[in-house]
Amino acid sequence: MLAWALLSAVLWSLAGVGSARSSLFSNEGFVYGTVGHPGNTCLFSRKACPKSWGCPCLGSSVKIYVKLHQTSPVLVCMDIDRASKETVDPIYLWIGPNENTLTGSSQINITNIGELVLKDFMESLSGHYSCTLSYKIVKAETQEETSLKKKYDFLVFAYREPDYSYRMAVRFTTKSCVGRYNDLLFRLLKKILDNLISDLLCHVIEPSYKCHSVKIPERDFVYELFVAFQVNPFAPGWKSMCNSSMDCEDVTNHNILKARDRIEEFFRSQAYILHHHFNITVPAMHFVDHSFQVTRIDNCRPGFGKNEGLHSNCASCCVVCSPGTFSPDMDVTCQTCVSAHVYGAKACP
């Protein structure tokens, strides 16, 4: 017993105080490679996974989606089975897009235990990442060593939230389809709505109206104005609201949601006034109750697009356009371009 205590004291003094070894490890925020299984897909965003970066993703080539300007989950150069065991003399080699050997930088962090973290994720960081783990199996009784290698592949894509806008439609009764009053009402309505949402730097675009005669059940024909317009979050000066925000679509989408709610409340109030402030006589031109309709329209920034087939687990996301495709404007899909060789191409060279 005395000899054991003495040996422990010597070892303690030689090695210094070290961290305790443990067979337990947390899966939260880590993405492990796998061997011999079909690929899987995982989406990582603080919105989707507020408590963690999500569960570990398994697959021979794992797809990972990282929100623009955010930090990626931890990519582990091991599978879960290997991570639960001791590994002798491990050596980790990370290869990034364009077959470049990865080294540490302001955006790339590689730990001494083979974990890769990508910071301030940009379109240019998208692509194929692979890690080769080299290690040894040692027979304790003979000291015989066997060298092994395992390779793990990850496909990492930048994504961003789509830009929201809203297509809306309402109806108003009118005396006739002929006359200047219809146009006056239309112009006044647009002005009211623009003023209602101007502080949000949203505005009404593509307004239009048509007059139709409508047969009401058990009543005669009436004339109605069918009004349509789009509410857009990019009124002149909108970029001023994004100076301190990397994720500008989060700001504009928040504003457009508030604009939608205000406009919906405005027309709801028109219906209330119609039912509670008029007795028998109703104005010839008034809002048609329950006629308000709203549809959300998604658009992607240049260099990004939606592709449910290729990115099924991020179908609602605007994912960076892969090589061979590009997106030049506020569209929703990436177009084919064989001469586009980078991620996030905004033009076809």
Side-chain angles (χ1 to χ4, degrees):
M1 176 67 87
L2 183 60
W4 178 87
L6 179 61
L7 177 60
S8 296
V10 171
L11 291 174
W12 184 273
S13 65
L14 289 175
V17 178
S19 59
R21 291 179 64 184
S22 173
S23 61
L24 300 176
F25 56 94
S26 171
N27 290 341
E28 289 189 354
F30 290 80
V31 181
Y32 294 86
T34 59
V35 178
H37 294 283
N40 201 354
T41 307
C42 286
L43 167 67
F44 293 90
S45 76
R46 288 191 174 94
K47 282 186 176 179
C49 310
K51 295 183 180 178
S52 72
W53 282 108
C55 56
C57 303
L58 308 179
S60 56
S61 184
V62 180
K63 285 184 179 180
I64 303 165
Y65 299 90
V66 183
K67 192 172 182 180
L68 205 66
H69 300 299
Q70 298 293 322
T71 299
S72 76
V74 179
L75 277 58
V76 183
C77 189
M78 280 188 182
D79 53 82
I80 290 183
D81 182 61
R82 170 48 50 193
S84 65
K85 303 173 183 177
E86 67 176 16
T87 304
V88 179
D89 293 339
I91 298 175
Y92 312 95
L93 177 64
W94 278 99
I95 303 295
N98 301 319
E99 300 298 319
N100 294 324
T101 300
L102 295 183
T103 56
S105 70
S106 60
Q107 288 185 288
I108 298 173
N109 181 33
I110 302 176
T111 69
N112 60 353
I113 55 174
E115 296 172 349
L116 172 65
V117 176
L118 304 169
K119 302 177 180 179
D120 189 20
F121 200 83
M122 301 292 291
E123 299 97 314
S124 58
L125 290 176
S126 300
H128 174 249
Y129 290 79
S130 67
C131 182
T132 300
L133 167 64
S134 303
Y135 63 100
K136 296 176 182 177
I137 300 294
V138 180
K139 290 186 178 180
E141 65 276 13
T142 63
Q143 297 295 304
E144 181 183 349
E145 300 179 1
T146 302
S147 296
L148 297 175
K149 286 187 178 182
K150 288 185 178 181
K151 183 182 178 184
Y152 305 102
D153 295 292
F154 305 85
L155 286 173
V156 188
F157 300 93
Y159 83 94
R160 62 192 311 162
E161 297 295 331
D163 289 305
Y164 305 153
S165 60
Y166 287 92
R167 191 70 183 168
M168 299 183 179
V170 293
R171 289 159 64 175
F172 282 83
T173 61
T174 183
K175 277 187 175 182
S176 169
C177 285
V178 180
R180 65 188 183 92
Y181 293 104
N182 296 335
D183 194 57
L184 288 174
L185 172 65
F186 175 70
R187 292 177 184 275
L188 177 62
L189 178 63
K190 181 182 183 304
K191 184 176 181 180
I192 291 172
L193 296 179
D194 272 332
N195 289 337
L196 191 64
I197 59 178
S198 61
D199 63 307
L200 301 172
L201 291 182
C202 298
H203 62 160
V204 172
I205 63 172
E206 301 178 9
S208 64
Y209 78 93
K210 289 184 178 181
C211 186
H212 298 277
S213 60
V214 181
K215 175 63 174 70
I216 306 297
E218 301 180 0
R219 290 177 56 189
D220 204 349
F221 282 95
V222 297
Y223 295 105
E224 291 187 0
L225 302 180
F226 287 58
V227 182
F229 55 93
Q230 187 170 324
V231 182
N232 181 282
F234 305 115
W238 68 271
K239 288 186 178 180
S240 64
M241 305 192 76
C242 305
N243 288 340
S244 60
S245 174
M246 286 289 192
D247 298 321
C248 199
E249 66 268 24
D250 288 350
V251 176
T252 55
N253 284 346
H254 174 74
N255 289 343
I256 195 69
L257 287 171
K258 292 179 68 175
R260 180 203 63 185
D261 292 343
R262 288 184 190 180
I263 292 175
E264 188 171 1
E265 178 58 30
F266 169 77
F267 286 113
R268 190 181 295 117
S269 69
Q270 298 305 301
Y272 180 86
I273 291 171
L274 180 65
H275 288 295
H276 294 82
H277 289 253
F278 297 102
N279 295 323
I280 299 175
T281 304
V282 177
M285 302 182 78
H286 64 263
F287 171 70
V288 177
D289 196 10
H290 303 299
S291 69
F292 177 72
Q293 299 178 21
V294 58
T295 304
R296 197 182 87 183
I297 301 172
D298 289 358
N299 288 293
C300 297
R301 300 284 175 94
F304 290 80
K306 289 186 176 184
N307 189 324
E308 187 173 353
L310 183 62
H311 305 296
S312 58
N313 277 31
C314 204
S316 64
C317 312
C318 290
V319 181
V320 64
C321 294
S322 298
T325 64
F326 78 108
S327 178
D329 47 30
M330 301 288 282
D331 204 347
V332 74
T333 57
C334 298
Q335 305 173 31
T336 301
C337 175
V338 294
S339 57
H341 301 302
V342 298
Y343 282 88
K346 300 177 177 64
C348 187

